[in-house]
Amino acid sequence: MMETPLPKAPEKRQVTAIIFLLLLWEAGSATIKYSVLEERDSGSFVANLAKDLGLGVGELAARGARILSKGNKQYLQLEQKSGNLLLKEKLDREELCSDIDPCILHFQMLLKNPVQFIQGELQLQDVNDHAPEFLENEILLKISEGSHPGTSFPLKIAQDLDVGSNTVQNYTISTNSYFHLFTRNHSDGKKYPELVLDQALDREEQPQLRLTLTALDGGSPPRIGTSHVLIVIVDINDNVPEFTQRLYEVQVPENAPIGSLVITVSARDLDAGTHGELSYSFFQYSNQIIQAFEINSITGEIRLKKALDFEEIQSYHMEVEASDGGGLSGKCTVAIEVMDINDNAPELTMSLLISDIPENSPETVVAVFGISDPDSGNNGKMMCSIQDHLPFLIKPTLENFYTVLTEGALDRESWAEYNITITVTDLGTPRLKTEYNITVRVSDVNDNAPAFTQTSYNLFVRENNSPALHIGSVSATDRDSGTNAQVTYSLLPPQDPHLPLASLVSINADNGHLFALRSLDYEALQEFEFRVGAADRGFPALSSEALVRVLVTAPRPAPSWCPGRPSRAIW
């Protein structure tokens, strides 16, 4: 479904709004927005793009419409004939966006002929498909018997992969005489349970309590998760451990080795003996935290347990608890920021590639591609380039989408094939790059006429020749290729209307060989001229001509002898 429409306006205003929206789409500045529930089946209907864009039936197919997504993962598919936008696969909001809300998947629609981009957004709406879950089946809470009524005790939270109203909204505690429960809001927006003491405790009367903590989400009906709370009543310990800082902040590069020290937390307790001996542990934490970090219970050192990945998680927040031997504890917050390292080379995804383009075409789109880099800051900023000496240029279209196009008309006879290397480089340190090679062939257009090797030809023929005698040849070449370069020869009409050219000579149309059709008589015809044409077989056909002069020669006379002189032939 698209965004909630505005109230119905008068018809004239509606037409104006539609025209204005189409103009925005034409300029590439508008974004079409849809929303769909997660976990819908593959092939589920999202919207009719043709209708929403005001395009006619079959126009999407005629313009080669395609749906493009970031990288190589495609979540949507387009039925070009109907214009329907469909889910390509079942989408899991928690897998795609984790706890990010709203969960927006960006896509673009590419229209060819002419090239046009339209930005799109698909919002995945959460369904309540996860129940709250405590990481521990039993929560141990030690409370001094000297605690005063009204004292509060935060409890560990439940995890819920859903977001919004479908995540944890409330906590309850089983009925008892000593405590009631409040649901509080944490600084990060999550709700956590807090026990409040209603009446004084007496360890000698009741050394421990067992209660059931229930977490409820906001679904309808709500899903629940439970954990047992074991409350141990301890003797009076009148000094609570205190951390030297309530908030510890540290930055860690994502390439820090496993086992490296992240930070050391420190607390002190003024009590003596076991009541002053401290033990450190994580308090409020998630699976991500206990998988990535470990804490030394004696020294308070927090070290890496597995490699960090900025592209996966950028920061961690946890609470650390220092407990003394008497059951009292103090807490602090540790904020760990993962620093990005340039460890990802840019990625290039080719969306459209035209390998053959006709010569003499004006500015022509050769390729459309998108680039991406999961790094941040300068490490994720990119620039594109191709070789300087080529008659092509790169032009940005939408965010991180580019086209490769010709600078002008190409000439196949000068250069028939181009190898283009697209280089995508990030601005990180060190700089990483990705290269993508494409080959563009220039197809022939019939733009060259055949050219004779000579502008005129002189042919000599002895009189009384035999008919069908080969008397000479003409030759022409064409710089084009294929049928555009195949030459056909012909005799052109003579300028002298009295010259019986058709009965004197003939020409072979394929090779330009000329033949005398009859015996020539020097006394009757000493020479004659005619024109020959050479035409290619392209469309439209191009031609040229040359002049041929035929000279008829008389036979040499027989030699005579002069008496009284040495023998010598005289002609």
Side-chain angles (χ1 to χ4, degrees):
M1 59 182 290
M2 293 194 65
E3 291 185 312
T4 304
L6 296 172
K8 187 174 182 181
E11 182 177 354
K12 182 177 180 181
R13 292 184 180 178
Q14 284 184 327
V15 174
T16 303
I18 293 171
I19 294 175
F20 178 68
L21 181 58
L22 291 175
L23 289 174
L24 285 177
W25 275 323
E26 187 69 25
S29 60
T31 300
I32 51 177
K33 299 181 179 181
Y34 301 106
S35 63
V36 65
L37 291 174
E38 65 166 330
E39 301 295 344
R40 292 185 64 186
D41 291 333
S42 173
S44 295
F45 176 80
V46 177
N48 187 282
L49 275 179
K51 179 179 179 182
D52 294 340
L53 297 176
L55 300 177
V57 176
E59 189 170 351
L60 289 179
R63 295 187 63 183
R66 291 177 58 189
I67 297 299
L68 308 176
S69 299
K70 183 177 181 181
N72 294 317
K73 189 67 174 177
Q74 295 289 339
Y75 304 112
L76 299 170
Q77 59 186 0
L78 177 64
E79 287 185 342
Q80 291 186 341
K81 291 184 179 179
S82 66
N84 289 337
L85 185 64
L86 310 176
L87 294 181
K88 193 170 184 180
E89 61 182 45
K90 184 181 290 188
L91 301 181
D92 186 344
R93 192 207 66 81
E94 290 75 31
E95 178 181 344
L96 294 173
C97 295
S98 186
D99 58 353
I100 297 175
D101 189 35
C103 177
I104 303 294
L105 302 180
H106 297 274
F107 67 92
Q108 292 85 25
M109 184 172 75
L110 167 64
L111 296 173
K112 310 174 193 173
N113 304 323
V115 174
Q116 179 185 5
F117 286 90
I118 297 174
Q119 293 275 33
E121 293 181 0
L122 178 65
Q123 179 178 348
L124 274 185
Q125 296 179 339
D126 186 50
V127 297
N128 192 24
D129 54 349
H130 295 87
E133 182 179 1
F134 290 93
L135 296 180
E136 298 178 3
N137 291 327
E138 183 175 86
I139 300 173
L140 176 63
L141 182 63
K142 296 180 180 181
I143 300 178
S144 170
E145 64 177 335
S147 300
H148 298 289
T151 304
S152 59
F153 305 92
L155 299 177
K156 296 180 180 180
I157 63 174
Q159 308 288 322
D160 192 325
L161 297 178
D162 294 317
V163 296
S165 61
N166 290 331
T167 192
V168 176
Q169 298 296 316
N170 192 31
Y171 292 90
T172 61
I173 199 75
S174 56
T175 304
N176 65 95
S177 302
Y178 294 93
F179 298 92
H180 68 274
L181 189 78
F182 281 132
T183 300
R184 303 289 191 187
N185 290 318
H186 206 276
S187 58
D188 60 3
K190 294 182 179 179
K191 299 181 184 295
Y192 68 94
E194 186 178 80
L195 272 181
V196 179
L197 185 62
D198 290 331
Q199 62 175 333
L201 300 171
D202 186 345
R203 190 191 67 84
E204 287 72 28
E205 180 180 331
Q206 188 169 0
Q208 65 180 32
L209 294 170
R210 287 188 176 273
L211 304 176
T212 300
L213 176 64
T214 302
L216 302 91
D217 65 23
S220 180
R223 292 175 176 264
I224 65 171
T226 61
S227 177
H228 297 292
V229 181
L230 175 60
I231 301 174
V232 177
I233 315 301
V234 297
D235 281 334
I236 292 177
N237 180 16
D238 55 356
N239 287 287
V240 176
E242 292 184 1
F243 282 90
T244 56
Q245 298 174 223
R246 297 191 64 181
L247 174 64
Y248 290 83
E249 295 178 300
V250 64
Q251 294 178 330
V252 182
E254 63 174 326
N255 64 345
I258 295 175
S260 59
L261 178 64
V262 176
I263 197 172
T264 300
V265 296
S266 178
R268 64 174 185 170
D269 191 318
L270 298 179
D271 291 320
T274 58
H275 289 168
E277 295 176 356
L278 301 182
S279 175
Y280 298 95
S281 62
F282 292 131
F283 182 66
Q284 298 285 20
Y285 57 87
S286 64
N287 281 328
Q288 295 172 336
I289 290 174
I290 61 175
Q291 289 172 4
F293 304 96
E294 59 186 359
I295 187 169
N296 187 302
S297 61
I298 298 175
T299 64
E301 292 179 345
I302 298 176
R303 294 184 178 273
L304 274 184
K305 193 175 177 182
K306 75 166 203 174
L308 302 178
D309 187 352
F310 174 86
E311 288 71 41
E312 182 179 343
I313 301 176
Q314 291 79 45
S315 63
Y316 296 85
H317 288 77
M318 64 192 79
E319 288 192 11
V320 175
E321 180 181 53
S323 303
D324 64 22
L328 298 183
S329 62
K331 298 174 181 64
C332 71
T333 299
V334 178
I336 301 173
E337 180 182 0
V338 181
M339 303 300 294
D340 185 39
I341 299 297
N342 195 25
D343 56 348
N344 291 281
E347 296 179 0
L348 186 150
T349 303
M350 187 63 62
S351 302
L352 172 68
L353 178 60
I354 302 174
S355 299
D356 292 275
I357 58 175
E359 63 174 333
N360 301 334
S361 300
E363 187 177 274
T364 304
V365 173
V366 172
V368 178
F369 63 92
I371 59 175
S372 61
D373 191 322
D375 291 318
S376 67
N378 286 337
N379 295 336
K381 293 179 180 178
M382 297 163 287
M383 59 183 183
C384 294
S385 64
I386 59 175
Q387 305 99 303
D388 292 334
H389 62 278
L390 298 180
F392 298 87
L393 53 86
I394 288 183
K395 182 179 179 182
T397 52
L398 298 175
E399 180 183 3
N400 290 337
F401 272 89
Y402 295 82
T403 57
V404 178
L405 60 162
T406 59
E407 286 186 316
L410 303 178
D411 183 10
R412 188 205 65 82
E413 289 71 39
S414 299
W415 208 269
E417 184 175 283
Y418 295 89
N419 292 313
I420 304 173
T421 299
I422 304 172
T423 303
V424 186
T425 308
D426 64 28
L427 302 183
T429 302
R431 293 195 173 188
L432 303 178
K433 70 177 182 180
T434 295
E435 292 183 342
Y436 194 99
N437 297 312
I438 61 175
T439 299
V440 176
R441 291 174 290 274
V442 184
S443 58
D444 187 48
V445 171
N446 194 26
D447 56 351
N448 291 281
F452 280 95
T453 57
Q454 301 173 213
T455 57
S456 63
Y457 295 83
N458 292 326
L459 305 180
F460 296 88
V461 183
R462 285 181 181 271
E463 70 172 335
N464 301 324
N465 59 284
S466 60
L469 175 68
H470 177 220
I471 61 175
S473 300
V474 295
S475 178
T477 58
D478 194 314
R479 296 178 61 208
D480 292 318
S481 67
T483 57
N484 294 334
Q486 295 177 3
V487 178
T488 300
Y489 300 92
S490 63
L491 296 176
L492 300 180
Q495 293 180 342
D496 183 359
H498 301 293
L499 179 67
L501 183 63
S503 64
L504 293 175
V505 294
S506 67
I507 191 169
N508 187 304
D510 295 325
N511 56 30
H513 291 178
L514 290 163
F515 300 90
L517 295 179
R518 69 183 187 185
S519 178
L520 300 178
D521 184 357
Y522 175 80
E523 286 73 20
L525 183 65
Q526 285 80 39
E527 67 176 72
F528 59 94
E529 294 180 350
F530 59 92
R531 291 173 297 127
V532 294
D536 60 33
R537 297 181 183 178
F539 182 82
L542 302 178
S543 63
S544 62
E545 60 183 61
L547 178 66
V548 178
R549 181 180 294 109
V550 178
L551 302 172
V552 182
T553 61
R556 295 179 180 181
S560 59
W561 301 97
C562 295
R565 295 187 180 182
S567 297
R568 182 173 60 181
I570 298 176
W571 298 94

